């Protein structure tokens, strides 16, 4: 990539202000290609990252806690997520949030402001979480694809037919798609994928919402809902009530988490107006949109199914008809997760490729770009290391997903462990240090209280996830067609 400084170092160029100005139009203040992102593209990235297929499992979460605690927990986590994301947005540049040096990744921000062992712990938490999410998305996308096939089977043979179907062929198909998309070298070039994925998330969420409204309005067999959710002695035992509540809290907390990719999203924004202000706007739009869908889908889903709400009422067959609409909704889920997978794996790709270039600066395999002309698409730069590494990563995540198809519970554990450090602790600590906040001041005190409270929530939800994982291990049968 050319840098404006080369115009002064190379005698072939005439060192005139006009020539330098023309060159500078193509580059930002850090010498990188001009960023073109706006609040619209950033909002799309955020919605893609936050709203996953988990939105359709919120009816189950509300059912565990009831009409009072369920919505209250949803609103609490929406506020916490938005608040800490605004703190993190101010840390993209340091030491000044507007004119400071850019930090390109979440870990770069932590290294620049906090440094030392905290930087190492942050990197460990972030990348374990990102890997877990990509594996979980592989499983979830395949479940949605399987749901399409099973929906058609139920329609043809009746609702009592077992319609067993293996997830593995669909995981392979999903992996093949990701191998192709993963070859796109720069995160900002994926804006179109995030737009498509955001549209898909609106589509299947709206379908789930509409089907819930239709079920409530249509009457039929009455369902039971309560202020406190599932009832001990009627629906569940006492211990089950406790574990399910913990799991529900963890699901909601993880559903809102996107801080680990916020810096990468912010790094796609153009520098004027200031990135932190644009990111605050994008975060507000993303979180408000997410909360709206979460509350509507969760509450109306609970109203439709009551205390017997399925884990996911599109893939769990809370609805059977109209089967073509269920099929379309599940296709939308799969398409959305294609985009969401890329949002979460791009930071992993960037980290490994940056480390490799620093480790082997003279390696042609690692550093050299080869121009290849593709029909219709035009010229495309191919890096052999990028092709091999990204393809290998996608294959490995797919294999793990096939070996451990119950990985969604383990993903919940990873989400519980990463929520507090990535969404709460590091943003608060970096904001305190960068703003040079006085210790034991009012703001310092309540920020610390918020951090400790979220730590307790993470521990509780992790305990619930571990219990769920233990139950899955008892009935584990690898590579078996799932019911």
């Amino acid at each position: 990539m050319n840098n404006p400084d080369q115009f002064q170092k190379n005698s072939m160029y005439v060192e005139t202000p006009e020539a330098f100005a023309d060159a500078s139009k193509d580059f930002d203040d850090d010498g990188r290609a001009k960023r073109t992102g706006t609040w619209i593209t950033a909002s799309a990235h955020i919605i893609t990252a936050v709203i996953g297929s988990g939105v359709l499992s919120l009816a189950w979460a509300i059912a565990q806690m009831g009409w009072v605690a369920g919505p209250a927990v949803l609103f609490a986590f929406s506020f916490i997520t938005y608040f800490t994301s605004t703190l993190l947005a101010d840390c993209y540049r340091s030491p000044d949030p507007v004119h400071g040096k850019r930090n390109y990744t979440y870990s770069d921000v932590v290294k620049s402001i906090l440094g030392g062992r905290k930087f190492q712990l942050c990197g460990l938490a972030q990348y374990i979480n990102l890997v877990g999410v990509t594996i979980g998305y592989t499983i979830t996308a395949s479940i949605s694809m399987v749901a399409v096939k099973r929906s058609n089977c139920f329609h043809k043979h009746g609702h009592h037919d077992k319609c067993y179907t293996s997830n593995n062929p669909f995981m392979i198909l999903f992996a093949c798609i990701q191998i192709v998309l993963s070859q796109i070298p720069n995160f900002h070039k994926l804006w179109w994928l995030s737009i498509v994925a955001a549209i898909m998330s609106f589509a299947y969420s709206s379908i789930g919402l509409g089907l819930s409204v239709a079920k409530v309005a249509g009457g039929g067999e009455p369902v039971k809902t309560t202020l406190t959710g599932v009832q001990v002695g009627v629906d569940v035992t006492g211990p089950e009530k406790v574990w399910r509540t913990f799991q529900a809290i963890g699901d909601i907390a993880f559903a809102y988490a996107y801080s680990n990719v916020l810096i990468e999203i912010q790094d796609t924004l153009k520098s004027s107006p200031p990135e932190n202000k644009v990111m605050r706007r994008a975060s507000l739009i993303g979180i408000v949109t997410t909360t709206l869908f979460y509350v509507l889908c969760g509450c109306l889903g609970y109203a439709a199914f009551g205390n017997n709400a399925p884990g996911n009422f599109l893939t769990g067959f809370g609805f059977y008809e109209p089967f073509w609409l269920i099929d379309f909704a599940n296709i939308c889920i799969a398409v959305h997760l294609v985009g969401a997978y890329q949002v979460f794996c791009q930071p992993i790709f960037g980290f490994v490729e940056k480390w490799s270039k620093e480790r082997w600066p003279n390696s042609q395999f690692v550093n050299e770009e080869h121009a290849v002309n593709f029909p219709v698409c035009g010229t495309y730069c191919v890096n052999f290391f990028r092709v091999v590494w990204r393809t290998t990563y996608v294959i490995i995540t797919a294999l793990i997903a096939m070996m451990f198809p119950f990985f969604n519970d383990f993903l919940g554990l990873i989400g519980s462990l990463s929520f507090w450090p990535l969404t709460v602790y590091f943003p608060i600590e970096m904001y305190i240090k960068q703003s040079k906040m006085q210790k034991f001041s009012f703001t310092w005190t309540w920020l610390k209280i918020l951090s400790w409270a979220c730590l307790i929530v993470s521990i509780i939800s992790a305990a619930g996830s571990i219990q769920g994982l233990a139950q899955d291990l008892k009935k584990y049968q690898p590579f078996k067609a799932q019911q």
Side-chain angles (χ1 to χ4, degrees):
M1 182 183 295
N2 291 329
N3 187 296
D5 293 340
Q6 292 175 343
F7 284 86
Q8 294 180 340
K9 297 177 181 178
N10 194 327
S11 60
M12 292 178 64
Y13 293 95
V14 179
E15 297 182 11
T16 65
E18 291 79 6
F20 185 81
D22 290 340
S24 299
K25 291 180 181 179
D26 298 326
F27 301 93
D28 274 325
D29 54 4
D30 59 347
R32 295 195 175 189
K34 202 79 170 178
R35 295 164 177 83
T36 58
T38 65
W39 65 269
I40 297 176
T41 59
S43 298
H45 279 308
I46 291 171
I47 293 171
T48 302
V50 178
I51 299 182
S53 60
V55 66
L56 301 176
S57 69
L58 289 176
W60 179 87
I62 298 293
Q64 310 316 306
M65 295 182 286
W67 286 117
V68 178
V73 171
L74 277 171
F75 283 116
F77 277 105
S78 67
F79 171 77
I80 292 171
T81 302
Y82 171 69
F83 174 71
T84 56
S85 69
T86 60
L87 300 184
L88 188 58
D90 283 339
C91 299
Y92 168 64
R93 289 179 181 264
S94 60
D96 182 82
V98 177
H99 304 292
K101 178 181 176 293
R102 294 176 187 266
N103 296 289
Y104 305 115
T105 65
Y106 190 105
S107 56
D108 284 346
V109 175
V110 176
K111 182 178 182 180
S112 175
I113 299 176
L114 299 178
R117 188 171 297 277
K118 289 183 178 180
F119 162 66
Q120 296 174 341
L121 292 175
C122 167
L124 181 64
Q126 184 187 21
Y127 292 112
I128 287 177
N129 179 66
L130 290 172
V131 171
V133 169
T134 55
I135 295 172
Y137 279 177
T138 303
I139 298 171
T140 308
S142 69
I143 290 173
S144 295
M145 296 177 194
V146 165
V148 173
K149 186 174 181 180
R150 294 186 68 207
S151 175
N152 295 331
C153 175
F154 288 134
H155 179 73
K156 183 177 181 180
H157 301 289
H159 300 169
H160 300 292
D161 195 284
K162 297 298 183 181
C163 293
Y164 291 110
T165 305
S166 174
N167 291 356
N168 293 340
F170 298 96
M171 289 187 186
I172 294 172
L173 174 61
F174 184 81
C176 291
I177 295 172
Q178 294 301 337
I179 287 173
V180 175
L181 292 177
S182 294
Q183 305 313 316
I184 300 176
N186 297 318
F187 188 58
H188 70 271
K189 292 183 179 180
L190 293 174
W191 64 268
W192 59 271
L193 187 60
S194 283
I195 295 291
V196 171
I199 293 173
M200 293 297 102
S201 68
F202 277 117
Y204 70 72
S205 298
S206 300
I207 291 172
L209 184 61
L211 290 173
S212 295
V213 171
K215 185 174 176 62
V216 173
E221 186 178 344
V223 297
K224 185 177 183 180
T225 63
T226 63
L227 294 177
T228 57
V230 293
Q231 294 180 299
V232 175
V234 178
D235 304 301
V236 294
T237 64
E240 285 177 339
K241 171 72 173 180
V242 174
W243 291 123
R244 286 189 176 193
T245 300
F246 289 171
Q247 290 175 2
I249 293 174
D251 288 345
I252 294 174
F254 180 72
Y256 273 107
Y258 75 103
S259 295
N260 50 355
V261 294
L262 185 144
I263 296 299
E264 282 83 355
I265 294 174
Q266 191 167 347
D267 192 46
T268 67
L269 297 174
K270 54 187 178 183
S271 56
S272 181
E275 300 93 348
N276 61 335
K277 293 184 179 179
V278 175
M279 201 62 194
R280 287 195 202 103
R281 183 182 184 184
S283 294
L284 180 61
I285 293 172
I287 296 301
V288 168
T289 303
T290 298
T291 303
L292 174 64
F293 274 101
Y294 279 9
V295 171
L296 289 176
C297 290
C299 292
L300 286 174
Y302 182 42
F305 295 102
N307 292 340
N308 293 322
N312 185 315
F313 53 47
L314 287 181
T315 62
F317 290 93
F319 302 104
Y320 288 92
E321 300 291 344
F323 79 99
W324 59 267
L325 188 59
I326 307 299
D327 289 352
F328 178 72
N330 279 297
I331 291 172
C332 288
I333 293 174
V335 173
H336 170 251
L337 292 179
V338 167
Y341 184 103
Q342 287 298 313
V343 170
F344 281 91
C345 74
Q346 286 292 325
I348 303 173
F349 294 158
F351 170 76
V352 172
E353 288 158 17
K354 179 182 177 182
W355 177 85
S356 299
K357 289 180 179 180
E358 293 174 352
R359 178 68 176 81
W360 299 287
N362 299 320
S363 171
Q364 292 185 348
F365 176 74
V366 173
N367 296 283
E368 189 171 341
E369 299 280 347
H370 303 272
V372 179
N373 188 25
F374 290 94
V376 182
C377 298
T379 303
Y380 186 79
C381 291
V382 175
N383 175 274
F384 291 143
F385 173 75
R386 184 167 62 235
V387 171
V388 172
W389 144 241
R390 296 189 179 195
T391 301
T392 302
Y393 176 84
V394 173
I395 292 174
I396 290 174
T397 56
L399 287 174
I400 295 175
M402 285 187 283
M403 291 172 63
F404 304 100
F406 57 85
F407 198 76
N408 280 331
D409 287 316
F410 191 62
L411 179 64
L413 175 61
I414 295 175
S416 300
L417 296 176
S418 63
F419 168 75
W420 175 72
L422 297 177
T423 303
V424 180
Y425 175 74
F426 285 118
I428 287 178
E429 291 298 311
M430 290 188 293
Y431 180 78
I432 288 175
K433 185 169 182 180
Q434 181 161 280
S435 63
K436 300 178 181 179
M437 190 178 298
Q438 185 177 355
K439 200 171 184 178
F440 299 113
S441 65
F442 174 77
T443 304
W444 183 93
T445 301
W446 75 260
L447 284 175
K448 289 290 186 178
I449 292 174
L450 174 63
S451 180
W452 279 102
C454 291
L455 173 60
I456 294 173
V457 170
S458 289
I459 293 173
I460 289 174
S461 61
S465 298
I466 291 172
Q467 192 272 345
L469 184 61
Q471 294 298 317
D472 278 341
L473 283 170
K474 293 179 181 179
K475 51 186 178 182
Y476 170 53
Q477 291 179 297
F479 299 107
K480 180 178 175 62
Q482 302 299 306
Q483 183 174 353

